[in-house]
Structure formats: structure tokens, C-alpha cells
Amino acid sequence: MSVDRNELHELVDALPDDQLPAAAEILRRRAEPRTARTTEPFAWIGAGQAPTLAPEHRRR
């Protein structure tokens, strides 16, 4: 086991029993694989209009 895992085991062992369920829930949430909500581009990309540029900022 790596040093980090050993330290984690030591920290869990040091917790009072009444705090174990909350700690376990935090670890479960962190361990769950996260999936992307969608593979489609964001709907708002390109949805608006570009601002009108003042004449001095327009390309010539």
C-alpha cells in the first residue's frame, strides 16, 4: 500500500464510531465514477448575437 493509503487507514481508525458513516459517505461520493451529462456541445454556444463593433474597431 502507498503512504497515502496507509495514512487514510490510520485516519479512519482514529475516527470515533459515530463519525464513520459520514466519512464513508464522503468517500463513496468521491469514489463514484463521474459521467458526462452529455456528449453534445452546450446549447448556449453560438446562441447569441455578437455585439456591433464601433467603427474604429471594425476590420478594414
Side-chain angles (χ1 to χ4, degrees):
M1 249 188 287
S2 70
V3 174
D4 293 334
R5 287 186 180 268
N6 283 333
E7 181 183 8
L8 183 57
H9 280 274
E10 291 171 10
L11 290 169
V12 169
D13 288 342
L15 283 174
D17 287 344
D18 64 329
Q19 292 183 11
L20 290 175
E25 181 58 32
I26 291 169
L27 292 172
R28 281 187 206 102
R29 283 197 311 261
R30 301 267 324 220
E32 289 176 3
R34 296 182 182 182
T35 56
R37 293 182 192 163
T38 180
T39 57
E40 298 296 319
F42 297 126
W44 52 266
I45 293 179
Q49 291 182 332
T52 304
L53 295 176
E56 62 270 13
H57 295 291
R58 291 188 185 148
R59 290 186 185 168
R60 298 172 200 237

